[in-house]
Amino acid sequence: MYRAPFVFHQDSTWPGDWVGRCILGLASLYHAFEGHDSFQEDVLAQLREIIEALPQHVNAEGYFGDLVDPSAINEQQVSGNSWFLRGLIEYYRITGDEKILAEIRSIVDHFISAIAPAYAHYPLCRRDMGGVGGHIEGKVTDGWLTSSDIGCAFIMVDAMSQAYALLGGEELKAEIESVIQIFSSIDFVSLQCQTHAALSCARGILTFFQATGEKKYLELAESIFARYLQDGMTKDFANFNWFGREETWTEPCCIVDSFLLSSAFFDLTGDVRYLRLMNRIYLNAFRGAQRSNGGAGCNTCLSSDKTSMKAYLYEAFFCCTMRFAEGLRFVNERTILMKDGHPFLTILQPASFALDNGLGIEIKGDIYHRRKAKLSLTGVKEPTSFSLYVPSSVSFQIEGSSRYTYENEVLTLLIEDENPIEIYFTLIPHEEEGVHFVGDMILVRRAVAGQEEAFYVENATYHYLLDYSSLSDKTLVMNLVQTL
């Protein structure tokens, strides 16, 4: 179902969605195989099968579904073709194929230019209660065939902004500015927009900021994210599928959005709050969405009132699995950032890196299941600084150097020669506002105690939120847990 021709048979109600996500996921897999040419060629072969078959399945203007009818714009067609456009852009970045660049231009010139004016009368009406897959409501409201995934048309801002970063153009810039202005005027929380749609729009606004340098767009993206943190995030740093509907389910697509946004905001602002949030999303929500087969699925939502969690849907193979591939790509790429010209380790987990300046970084030990880890630094060619995020609840001991600072949860070392430096970490359970953590991972009470290591806090027994030994059970991926 992820290969041609079968991949084209899946998009009956979301034109372009499955194909676009699949191209994007395969492009992410291509990047994951960096340095392994034969594996990359296998992925490219699968991608080429899809790309070469596209002319048989897109319309005369190069996108999926019917030609746009300005009096009845299909919201799910807009959302689906956003993924298709993003997939094409990623494929072009890999291959430099001029035919794909022409396809991207065609979609911008015909599809985006046709739908952009319609955002001015986007329906601010209540919608049907949708399922995991969403559905078209079957009626035209203010020129839109609306979806139960409220606001999903604004997912297109992500693709529009990436297209602008690639192509430029004053007309496209004006269209993006107009759509962003409209979204900024919508009370997306009261409207009960899909949280994924709101955060994908925020990602597009952030991309537009990076392309234009206009700070107001960074501020707008941050304000949307702040509303999400207040009204759309669950107790375990996942999401409610819609704002104001806490009885629903989490969605890995939105979890990926939240991870990417928090990482980007830290990179752009240096605010360590985003770095802490990035780690907590990754450790609790992101990893908690991945299933034993590698795909991604939905869980029930943890809130102040709903304190138990279990798998809601084992795998959203039609949606979240493909998007999760992009999330995994960026977890890998953003574990090491360059800040002020020096490497910065954002996530403390088992890994090995060799940087261009000769610095070798190796982390050993399962820090979140054994509470101990060792980080080794070797081979630097010339004096350099190296920083890493260390939560305040993690103690550390440095051997091989005494030149370091630790401030606001950032440990920075001055590495002066090739002598190895080793850092030993120990995680200490702690409590924040009634929730117990070890490092940035949540501790929970389990309904049925397992055999894995437990902690004793205030005379009660607590366990890790994630227990990978249980993932072989496909009907109940997560053991029932109880938050504080």
Side-chain angles (χ1 to χ4, degrees):
M1 62 185 173
Y2 300 132
R3 301 196 74 119
F6 308 103
V7 70
F8 296 105
H9 301 162
Q10 314 295 339
D11 283 333
S12 58
T13 61
W14 291 84
D17 190 279
W18 191 306
V19 175
R21 290 174 189 268
C22 185
I23 294 171
L24 187 63
L26 287 168
S28 298
L29 183 58
Y30 175 88
H31 289 292
F33 283 133
E34 185 74 34
H36 301 274
D37 294 348
S38 63
F39 289 111
Q40 285 189 317
E41 187 54 43
D42 285 343
V43 175
L44 274 180
Q46 186 174 347
L47 274 166
R48 288 191 194 102
E49 289 176 354
I50 297 171
I51 296 298
E52 289 171 2
L54 283 176
Q56 305 168 38
H57 299 280
V58 297
N59 61 35
E61 294 178 345
Y63 53 89
F64 281 89
D66 297 330
L67 296 178
V68 172
D69 177 359
S71 66
I73 293 176
N74 183 326
E75 184 171 14
Q76 292 183 182
Q77 181 187 22
V78 173
S79 176
N81 277 286
S82 174
W83 295 108
F84 177 50
L85 181 55
R86 286 202 58 215
L88 289 180
I89 291 170
E90 289 299 325
Y91 183 78
Y92 173 73
R93 287 171 174 164
I94 291 172
T95 64
D97 188 334
E98 291 297 319
K99 291 181 180 179
I100 298 302
L101 186 62
E103 176 82 353
I104 293 168
R105 291 186 187 278
S106 179
I107 295 172
V108 169
D109 292 343
H110 295 98
F111 188 63
I112 289 179
S113 63
I115 65 173
Y119 281 91
H121 44 84
Y122 182 79
L124 305 181
C125 56
R126 294 290 177 178
R127 309 286 178 88
D128 296 342
M129 184 67 175
V132 172
H135 65 271
I136 286 290
E137 294 183 304
K139 58 184 178 181
V140 177
T141 304
D142 296 331
W144 286 84
L145 276 166
T146 51
S147 171
S148 60
D149 279 354
I150 309 167
C152 68
F154 288 93
I155 290 175
M156 178 57 82
V157 176
D158 201 0
M160 293 169 73
S161 297
Q162 289 195 21
Y164 176 73
L166 176 66
L167 302 174
E170 289 303 311
E171 183 177 347
L172 178 57
K173 183 175 185 287
E175 289 165 347
I176 297 169
E177 289 171 335
S178 174
V179 176
I180 291 175
Q181 176 60 37
I182 291 161
F183 187 80
S184 71
S185 69
I186 294 174
D187 185 348
F188 53 85
V189 174
S190 296
L191 187 59
Q192 295 188 317
C193 281
Q194 189 189 36
T195 50
H196 167 40
L199 290 198
S200 279
C201 182
R203 270 179 35 85
I205 294 169
L206 191 61
T207 299
F208 196 58
F209 158 71
Q210 291 170 308
T212 64
E214 296 184 42
K215 192 174 181 181
K216 66 180 181 179
Y217 293 114
L218 171 61
E219 294 170 348
L220 176 58
E222 283 193 284
S223 70
I224 294 169
F225 194 50
R227 288 292 303 277
Y228 166 77
L229 297 181
Q230 176 180 309
D231 297 309
M233 180 172 273
T234 62
K235 288 288 188 180
D236 58 327
F237 304 95
N239 71 302
F240 304 107
N241 195 58
W242 292 277
F243 289 102
R245 296 180 179 176
E246 295 187 359
E247 75 283 1
T248 56
W249 49 84
T250 67
E251 187 190 28
C253 292
C254 184
I255 295 168
V256 168
D257 285 330
S258 68
F259 174 86
L260 295 178
L261 281 167
S262 56
S263 173
F265 287 140
F266 168 69
D267 199 13
L268 291 167
T269 70
D271 190 333
V272 177
R273 292 179 302 164
Y274 289 125
L275 184 56
R276 184 184 309 116
L277 183 61
M278 168 187 167
N279 275 265
R280 292 186 175 188
I281 291 168
Y282 171 68
L283 290 166
N284 299 291
F286 188 101
R287 296 202 315 176
Q290 190 168 30
R291 304 314 197 208
S292 54
N293 70 348
C298 310
N299 298 322
T300 57
C301 299
L302 287 173
S303 66
S304 298
D305 298 326
K306 298 183 181 299
T307 58
S308 62
M309 180 177 62
K310 59 182 179 180
Y312 181 86
L313 176 69
Y314 176 70
E315 185 191 2
F317 56 87
F318 49 86
C319 170
C320 298
T321 288
M322 293 178 279
R323 181 72 197 291
F324 204 75
E326 184 185 27
L328 287 167
R329 170 190 171 183
F330 283 101
V331 167
N332 180 51
E333 291 184 2
R334 302 192 69 80
T335 297
I336 294 280
L337 298 176
M338 295 303 293
K339 299 287 288 180
D340 301 321
H342 302 292
F344 192 116
L345 179 68
T346 62
I347 302 175
L348 191 63
Q349 62 176 339
S352 180
F353 303 93
L355 305 187
D356 291 340
N357 65 355
L359 181 64
I361 305 168
E362 185 175 30
I363 308 165
K364 291 185 176 180
D366 192 344
I367 190 166
Y368 280 98
H369 282 75
R370 292 293 176 265
R371 286 190 288 163
K372 293 184 182 297
K374 182 178 76 171
L375 186 150
S376 301
L377 302 170
T378 57
V380 67
K381 297 177 181 177
E382 58 186 29
T384 186
S385 293
F386 171 73
S387 298
L388 64 155
Y389 168 66
V390 182
S392 58
S393 60
V394 176
S395 66
F396 59 88
Q397 178 181 345
I398 302 173
E399 295 184 2
S401 175
S402 59
R403 308 244 353 233
Y404 72 89
T405 61
Y406 181 66
E407 183 178 359
N408 199 21
E409 298 190 296
V410 174
L411 175 62
T412 300
L413 297 95
L414 176 60
I415 307 172
E416 298 178 287
D417 52 43
E418 294 185 1
N419 292 327
I421 298 174
E422 294 183 340
I423 312 172
Y424 296 85
F425 301 93
T426 302
L427 276 69
I428 304 167
H430 68 288
E431 180 185 350
E432 293 180 26
E433 299 180 355
V435 177
H436 281 78
F437 289 86
V438 55
D440 282 318
M441 183 182 283
I442 295 174
L443 295 174
V444 296
R445 285 181 179 154
R446 290 180 48 141
V448 179
Q451 300 299 313
E452 79 287 356
E453 182 181 354
F455 296 100
Y456 295 88
V457 184
E458 296 179 357
N459 300 316
T461 305
Y462 296 91
H463 303 261
Y464 296 104
L465 178 63
L466 302 182
D467 172 19
Y468 287 98
S469 66
S470 68
L471 292 182
S472 60
D473 183 348
K474 295 185 179 182
T475 60
L476 183 61
V477 177
M478 285 193 173
N479 294 293
L480 192 64
V481 298
Q482 183 84 16
T483 67
L484 295 177

